C-alpha cells in the first residue's frame, strides 16, 4: 500500500544524491536532514502550517517540554497516581489546560465527575442510605423509607444518622471517597498487584457510584457537573458512553440527558454540546444482547441526533468477544436500520486470544471509531483498515497505564501511532476513577509521553481537529 508516494520520491532522490556524495563513508548530512524532515512531517500535526504567533508560542512550549524531559522523575514514565501532583504543578500542564482540546469522545457516564463533589454534595443530601458489602465496598440508595436488604451487604444505615454519631466526619468522608474511585495515595502497585485485582476494585467503585447517581435529582445535577468539569478544562464537545440506569425507563434517561445538555449549552453558549453512546455490559448473554440491540434501535429512532450509537462496556478480557454476538450485532444492518457502533476493542494484552480479534471484528461491523485500540500495532490488517477508512482510535493513555496494560507511557502504542499520524483522538475514559479530571492530564501524557520532544503545537492542533473531524 503506497501511503506516501511523494515521500518515497524524496527518499529515492536523496539516496541517489548520497551516492554522488561519493566515496566518503560518512552519510551525507543533507540526506540525513531530509530524512529527519520527512519523519517529522509524517507525525500527527506534522503538516500543520504555523503562523508567527503560533511559532512563538511553540518555542515557549518546547522550552517547557525540554525542562520536563530533563526531570529525573519524568511523569509519563511514572505511575499516574504518583505523577499526578508533579503534573499538576508543571507550568506546561497549566498551559495545556488552557489549550482548546476539541472533543472528548471516550468518557463513561459514571466516572465523569470528581469524587470530591460526590462526597461533598451528593452524600450530604437527605434520605441517603448506605450499606457495607462483603467485599469491603459500600452501596448507596436514596429512599423515603427503609430500603430492602441487598444481598452481600449489611443492613442499611441512614448516612445522616451515621454522620451524627461519627466522631470524625472527615475520616468518614475520606473512606467514602476511597470507595468511589481507585485513585490512592498508597503504592498502587502494592494495592493493585494484578489486572484482576484492579478491575475488581474498579467495578466495585462503579457500583458504589451507581447508587448515588441513579436518583433522578442527583442524576441531573451530576451530569451537569460532569459537563462543567470538561467545559472548564476547555473541551467543547462530549460523547458520553452511558449505561442508563436499569430502574429508570431508558427513554426518560435519554430525554433527561438531552435536556440537561440543552440547559448547559444555553448557559454556556460557546459549548458545542454532547451526544450519548448507549452501552451494555459485555457480560450479558445473547438473549439479553438481542433485546438490548432492539432497544438501542428503538432509542436511535426516538433520538436520531442526540444518540450517537451503541457500544459494549466492561473488561474485554473477561467479557464475551464481539464475534460471540455476531447475530445480535447484525440485526440493524439486516433490517436496513442505522445504528452506528463505537466499539471498545483491543483493550487487551492477551495477544492471539478470541478477545484479541475484537479489533478486526469491530472494523468488520463498520465501527465508527475504536475505543482504545491498544492492541492495534499487533494487527497490521486492522491497522491498515482503520487508516484507510479513517476509523479513529480513542486513545486513553492514563486509563491504559492505571489498568496495567503498560507501565511507561513512552512505550504506549499511541507513541508509534502518533509518529505516523494514524487517525486517533485522545480521551480520558474514566477520569474520576483515576484521580484525574477533564482531558488535560491525558493531553499532557500524549504530548509529553507519546510525542517526546518532537511533537509540537501543530500536534496539539491536529489532535483537537481530529476529535472534531
Ligand atoms: C450541589 O449541587 C447543586 C447543583 O450544582 C447545587 O445547586 C447545590 O447547591 C449543591 N449543594 C451543595 C451542598 O454543595
Ligand atoms: C479527623 O481525622 C483526620 C484524618 O485522620 C485528622 O487529620 C483530623 O485531625 C481529625 N479531626 C478531628 C477533629 O479529630
Ligand atoms: C469503604 O468504606 C468503608 C466504610 O466507610 C470502609 O470501611 C472501607 O475501608 C472503604 N474501602 C476502601 C477501599 O477504602
Ligand atoms: C440470560 O440472562 C438473563 C438475565 O441474566 C437470564 O434471565 C436468562 O435466563 C439468560 N438466558 C439464557 C439462555 O441463559
Ligand atoms: C459494512 O459496510 C459494508 C460496506 O458499506 C457493507 O457492505 C456491510 O454490509 C456493512 N456491514 C455491517 C455489519 O454493517
Ligand atoms: Zn472505556
Amino acid at each position: 500500500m503506497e501511503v506516501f508516494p511523494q515521500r518515497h520520491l524524496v527518499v529515492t532522490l536523496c539516496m541517489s544524491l548520497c551516492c554522488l556524495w561519493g566515496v566518503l563513508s560518512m552519510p551525507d548530512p543533507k540526506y540525513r536532514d531530509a530524512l529527519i524532515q520527512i519523519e517529522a512531517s509524517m507525525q500527527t500535526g506534522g503538516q500543520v502550517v504555523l503562523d508567527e504567533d503560533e511559532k512563538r508560542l511553540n518555542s515557549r512550549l518546547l522550552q517547557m517540554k525540554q525542562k520536563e524531559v530533563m526531570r529525573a522523575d519524568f511523569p509519563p514514565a511514572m505511575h499516574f497516581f504518583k505523577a499526578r501532583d508533579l503534573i499538576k504543578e508543571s507550568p506546561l500542564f497549566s498551559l495545556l489546560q488552557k489549550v482548546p482540546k476539541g472533543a472528548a469522545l471516550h468518557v463513561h457516564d459514571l466516572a465523569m465527575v470528581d469524587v470530591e463533589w460526590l462526597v461533598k454534595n451528593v452524600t450530604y443530601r437527605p434520605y441517603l442510605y448506605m450499606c457495607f458489602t462483603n467485599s469491603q465496598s459500600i452501596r448507596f440508595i436514596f429512599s423515603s423509607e427503609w430500603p430492602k436488604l441487598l444481598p452481600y451487604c449489611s443492613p442499611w444505615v441512614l448516612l445522616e444518622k451515621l454522620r451524627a454519631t461519627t466522631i470524625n466526619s472527615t475520616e468518614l468522608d475520606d473512606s467514602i471517597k476511597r470507595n468511589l474511585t481507585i485513585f490512592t495515595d498508597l503504592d498502587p502497585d502494592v494495592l493493585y498487584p494484578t489486572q484482576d485485582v484492579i478491575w475488581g476494585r474498579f467495578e466495585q467503585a462503579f457500583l458504589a457510584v451507581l447508587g448515588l447517581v441513579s436518583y433522578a435529582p442527583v442524576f441531573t445535577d451530576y451530569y451537569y457537573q460532569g459537563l462543567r468539569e470538561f467545559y472548564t478544562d476547555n473541551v467543547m464537545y462530549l460523547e458520553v458512553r452511558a449505561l442508563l440506569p436499569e430502574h429508570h425507563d431508558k427513554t426518560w434517561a435519554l430525554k433527561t440527558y438531552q435536556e440537561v445538555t440543552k440547559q448547559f449549552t444555553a448557559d454556556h453558549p460557546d459549548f458545542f454540546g454532547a451526544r450519548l453512546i448507549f452501552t451494555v455490559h459485555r457480560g450479558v448473554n445473547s438473549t439479553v444482547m438481542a433485546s438490548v440491540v432492539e432497544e438501542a434501535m428503538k432509542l436511535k429512532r426516538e433520538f436520531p441526533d442526540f444518540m450517537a450509537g451503541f457500544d459494549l462496556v466492561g473488561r474485554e478480557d473477561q467479557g464475551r468477544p464481539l464475534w460471540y454476538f455476531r447475530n445480535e450485532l447484525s440485526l440493524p444492518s439486516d433490517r436496513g436500520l442505522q445504528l452506528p457502533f463505537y466499539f471498545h476493542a483491543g483493550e487487551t494484552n492477551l495477544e492471539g486470544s478470541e478477545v484479541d480479534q475484537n479489533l478486526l471484528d469491530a472494523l468488520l461491523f463498520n465501527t465508527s471509531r475504536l475505543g482504545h485500540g491498544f492492541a492495534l500495532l499487533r494487527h497490521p490488517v486492522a491497522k491498515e483498515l482503520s487508516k484507510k477508512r479513517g476509523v479513529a482510535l480513542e486513545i486513553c493513555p492514563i486509563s491504559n497505564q492505571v489498568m496495567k496494560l503498560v507501565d511507561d507511557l513512552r512505550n504506549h502504542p499511541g507513541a508509534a501511532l502518533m509518529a505516523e499520524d494514524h487517525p486517533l483522538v485522545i480521551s480520558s475514559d474514566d477520569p474520576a476513577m483515576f484521580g484525574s479530571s477533564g482531558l488535560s492530564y491525558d493531553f499532557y501524557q500524549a504530548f509529553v509521553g507519546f510525542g517526546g520532544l518532537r511533537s509540537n503545537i501543530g500536534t496539539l492542533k491536529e489532535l483537537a481537529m481530529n476529535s472534531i473531524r
Side-chain angles (χ1 to χ4, degrees):
M1 184 73 41
E2 194 69 357
V3 185
F4 300 107
Q6 59 307 23
R7 290 202 180 100
H8 278 270
L9 204 66
V10 180
V11 174
T12 319
L13 199 71
C14 290
M15 284 172 88
S16 21
L17 283 176
C18 177
C19 293
L20 290 179
W21 179 256
V23 286
L24 293 179
S25 60
M26 190 185 84
D28 181 351
K30 284 213 197 74
Y31 173 51
R32 178 173 180 271
D33 287 347
L35 293 185
I36 291 173
Q37 276 305 315
I38 291 168
E39 261 193 6
S41 74
M42 286 170 79
Q43 70 175 328
T44 301
Q47 310 275 343
V48 173
V49 180
L50 303 179
D51 67 22
E52 286 310 310
D53 285 346
E54 287 171 334
K55 280 184 190 154
R56 269 205 306 281
L57 177 59
N58 193 45
S59 60
R60 289 252 320 266
L61 208 58
L62 292 185
Q63 269 170 18
M64 289 163 129
K65 188 142 77 165
Q66 187 92 43
K67 281 204 188 118
E68 215 78 356
V69 170
M70 307 271 282
R71 304 174 66 122
D73 47 2
F74 182 54
M78 298 162 65
H79 193 290
F80 177 69
F81 294 174
K82 297 181 189 160
R84 183 185 70 172
D85 290 347
L86 298 176
I87 298 174
K88 201 188 268 176
E89 287 155 19
S90 124
L92 179 55
F93 178 70
S94 308
L95 207 148
L96 289 176
Q97 285 180 297
K98 298 195 190 96
V99 166
K101 284 167 282 285
L105 298 177
H106 188 127
V107 179
H108 293 270
D109 55 348
L110 296 181
M112 291 175 70
V113 175
D114 192 357
V115 290
E116 180 79 19
W117 184 86
L118 280 176
V119 173
K120 292 290 178 236
N121 187 303
V122 179
T123 73
Y124 279 83
R125 298 187 189 204
Y127 307 114
L128 179 59
Y129 289 83
M130 179 168 100
C131 69
F132 305 86
T133 73
N134 288 355
S135 45
Q136 275 91 51
S137 180
I138 50 181
R139 297 288 179 271
F140 294 100
I141 190 165
F142 280 94
S143 179
S144 54
E145 54 201 57
W146 202 267
K148 265 201 334 228
L149 283 178
L150 273 192
Y152 312 111
C153 219
S154 72
W156 293 103
V157 289
L158 190 62
L159 194 51
E160 219 175 331
K161 264 204 190 130
L162 183 64
R163 277 216 175 86
T165 57
T166 301
I167 301 164
N168 190 330
S169 61
T170 312
E171 259 173 13
L172 178 59
D173 284 0
D174 285 349
S175 86
I176 293 176
K177 203 191 295 176
R178 283 196 306 273
N179 275 283
L180 302 176
T181 179
I182 56 173
F183 180 82
T184 175
D185 295 324
L186 305 175
D187 185 345
D189 294 317
V190 174
L191 199 58
Y192 310 124
T194 65
Q195 288 189 6
D196 285 348
V197 171
I198 196 152
W199 271 97
R201 278 281 295 122
F202 183 75
E203 297 199 331
Q204 290 297 320
F206 261 97
L207 292 171
V209 173
L210 183 63
L212 288 176
V213 305
S214 43
Y215 175 51
V218 173
F219 181 63
T220 54
D221 287 355
Y222 172 85
Y223 177 53
Y224 194 96
Q225 176 67 18
L227 293 177
R228 194 199 324 263
E229 288 183 17
F230 278 87
Y231 172 77
T232 310
D233 201 34
N234 286 306
V235 172
M236 63 189 283
Y237 171 81
L238 240 70
E239 279 184 8
V240 179
R241 281 170 164 87
L243 268 172
L244 304 184
E246 278 302 321
H247 33 274
H248 287 296
D249 165 22
K250 294 202 188 332
T251 301
W252 176 88
L254 245 111
K255 197 181 276 169
T256 307
Y257 268 118
Q258 189 176 30
E259 276 162 13
V260 175
T261 306
K262 260 193 203 137
Q263 183 61 49
F264 189 88
T265 315
D267 298 344
H268 307 85
D270 56 337
F271 186 69
F272 220 75
R275 296 202 305 165
L276 233 68
I277 297 170
F278 174 37
T279 66
V280 64
H281 197 279
R282 58 180 2 110
V284 302
N285 61 32
S286 309
T287 322
V288 173
M289 184 60 79
S291 72
V292 172
V293 171
E294 294 280 357
E295 192 163 29
M297 291 188 287
K298 175 175 150 281
L299 289 170
K300 181 66 184 164
R301 271 200 307 274
E302 286 176 55
F303 301 90
D305 299 323
F306 186 63
M307 179 171 150
F310 183 65
D311 185 16
L312 274 54
V313 297
R315 186 178 175 191
E316 270 182 78
D317 289 348
Q318 290 210 318
R320 298 190 158 114
L322 292 174
W323 195 243
Y324 178 87
F325 296 116
R326 57 195 177 279
N327 291 324
E328 295 74 26
L329 296 176
S330 301
L331 286 174
S333 81
D334 285 350
R335 299 204 197 141
L337 290 175
Q338 235 230 337
L339 182 65
F341 294 136
Y342 294 84
F343 289 133
H344 276 77
E347 187 187 9
T348 184
N349 271 337
L350 296 181
E351 187 176 359
S353 66
E354 271 295 295
V355 157
D356 192 36
Q357 290 308 322
N358 278 350
L359 273 170
L360 201 53
D361 291 336
L363 288 159
L364 289 175
F365 274 104
N366 298 333
T367 195
S368 301
R369 294 192 298 267
L370 289 162
H372 293 287
F374 183 86
L376 193 71
L377 291 186
R378 297 190 300 242
H379 292 276
V381 173
K383 185 176 164 208
E384 189 63 43
L385 280 174
S386 134
K387 176 126 198 165
K388 210 166 75 186
R389 298 190 194 159
V391 176
L393 265 62
E394 303 157 346
I395 292 188
C396 307
I398 293 172
S399 170
N400 296 154
Q401 189 200 46
V402 170
M403 301 314 279
K404 295 178 125 22
L405 289 173
V406 59
D407 291 330
D408 183 333
L409 284 173
R410 291 172 295 189
N411 300 331
H412 189 289
L417 293 166
M418 245 168 65
E420 55 180 91
D421 192 21
H422 192 89
L424 59 88
V425 298
I426 301 300
S427 204
S428 50
D429 207 7
D430 305 289
M433 289 286 158
F434 309 137
S436 78
S437 65
L439 201 50
S440 291
Y441 286 99
D442 285 280
F443 254 65
Y444 173 94
Q445 302 286 19
F447 188 55
V448 181
F450 296 177
L453 287 175
R454 195 160 59 179
S455 66
N456 54 37
I457 195 170
T459 316
L460 292 174
K461 254 182 124 163
E462 189 80 19
L463 285 174
M465 288 192 294
N466 278 353
S467 72
I468 293 163
R469 226 176 268 141

